[in-house]
Structures are given as structure tokens and as C-alpha cells.
Amino acid sequence: MYELKTKETDHSVIEFIENIEQVKKREDAFQLVDIFTETTGYQAKMWGPSIIGFGKYHYKYSSGHEGDAPIVGFSPRKAKISLYVTLETKQREKLLKDFGKYTSGKSCIYINKIDDIDIDILEKLIKQSAAFINEVYPNQE
């Protein structure tokens, strides 16, 4: 049976961030922890070795695959910072129109640094993503 690699851990978020080599990325990570915590009301938790997640939900697909995931989160990767937000497509496109400098994948938004984006829009992305997840997967933490 398949086992998820990205699970909530008890590793220290602060210690993880303090070990980021790039000073600007480390500063941005601390700022993002504050933004995500204030916006969601959830405390930061490590998910796997490099994702900082907020909140938790349980999903189950029609294929039978199921697991737990953070409601929203981010990862300060070497090349870019990955923002994990999940929204309905039209809602996402509308918010990203004025977000700033970014690239994106299916459920990730990649930024180089916080200075490249609009913080107010980031907060809206986080709030709307959390609301979307809670609507699709009700009765979560």
C-alpha cells in the first residue's frame, strides 16, 4: 500500500527556517509564518522535511486514495518559495491578476521573494483557499 511522504511531523518550524542558508529567504519565511498564522488562526507545523503547513484536513478520492494534508502552506525551496493554496480556477485567476511576479502550477504558486507580491492579495488567497478546502472537506481541524 502506498504511504504518504508528506505527513505532519513534530519537527520545529523555527529550527527549519533558521537553517535556511539564504538570508532573504529565511527572513521571508519568518514573515510568511506570521502572515499565514494571522490569516488562518492555525499554528505552523512541519509537513515532511520542508513544507510549513497550517491547519489540517482529511481527503479521500474516488480511487480510494486518502490522507491528510495542510489546509494551506508554503515551502521556502532553494530556487523559489512554493505557496500551497487551492482555489476554484476562476477565483484563483481573478486574485492572481494583480498578485505581482509569480509562476504557477496546478495548486502551487511560486514566488522569488515577498517583495515581488501584494501581501493583501496573498491574504485573500490564503483565506479563500482555506474556505474552499473547508467547503470541499467539511468537519476538519
Side-chain angles (χ1 to χ4, degrees):
M1 180 157 189
Y2 174 79
E3 186 169 335
L4 291 172
K5 292 179 187 156
T6 307
K7 294 180 181 179
E8 185 177 351
T9 72
D10 59 358
H11 294 115
S12 168
V13 171
I14 302 299
E15 193 174 300
F16 169 71
I17 294 173
E18 287 175 345
N19 284 312
I20 296 171
E21 290 180 24
Q22 300 146 298
V23 174
K24 178 64 177 145
K25 193 152 290 177
R26 188 169 51 242
E27 291 169 352
D28 283 356
F30 278 121
Q31 188 176 352
L32 284 169
V33 166
D34 290 343
I35 292 167
F36 275 79
T37 301
E38 289 171 18
T39 305
T40 65
Y42 296 115
Q43 292 301 308
K45 302 273 186 177
M46 290 302 302
W47 285 76
S50 62
I51 295 174
I52 300 170
F54 301 81
K56 179 167 84 172
Y57 72 98
H58 186 80
Y59 61 87
K60 185 171 185 176
Y61 300 135
S62 57
S63 65
H65 176 79
E66 64 181 296
D68 294 317
I71 293 172
V72 291
F74 72 94
S75 181
R77 308 235 184 243
K78 240 180 188 139
K80 294 184 181 269
I81 298 170
S82 302
L83 305 173
Y84 300 106
V85 292
T86 305
L87 294 167
E88 181 271 323
T89 305
K90 286 182 184 176
Q91 196 178 31
R92 176 181 158 129
E93 288 173 4
K94 184 178 176 183
L95 286 170
L96 289 177
K97 182 172 52 89
D98 298 315
F99 187 53
K101 188 177 173 185
Y102 74 94
T103 57
S104 67
K106 187 173 180 179
S107 64
C108 292
I109 298 167
Y110 306 100
I111 63 171
N112 289 319
K113 58 188 181 298
I114 288 184
D115 296 341
D116 290 341
I117 62 168
D118 184 315
I119 299 297
D120 291 335
I121 294 176
L122 173 60
E123 290 171 350
K124 288 177 185 172
L125 283 164
I126 294 166
K127 284 179 187 172
Q128 291 183 22
S129 179
F132 178 76
I133 292 295
N134 287 323
E135 183 180 313
V136 174
Y137 302 98
N139 305 317
Q140 304 300 320
E141 291 181 15

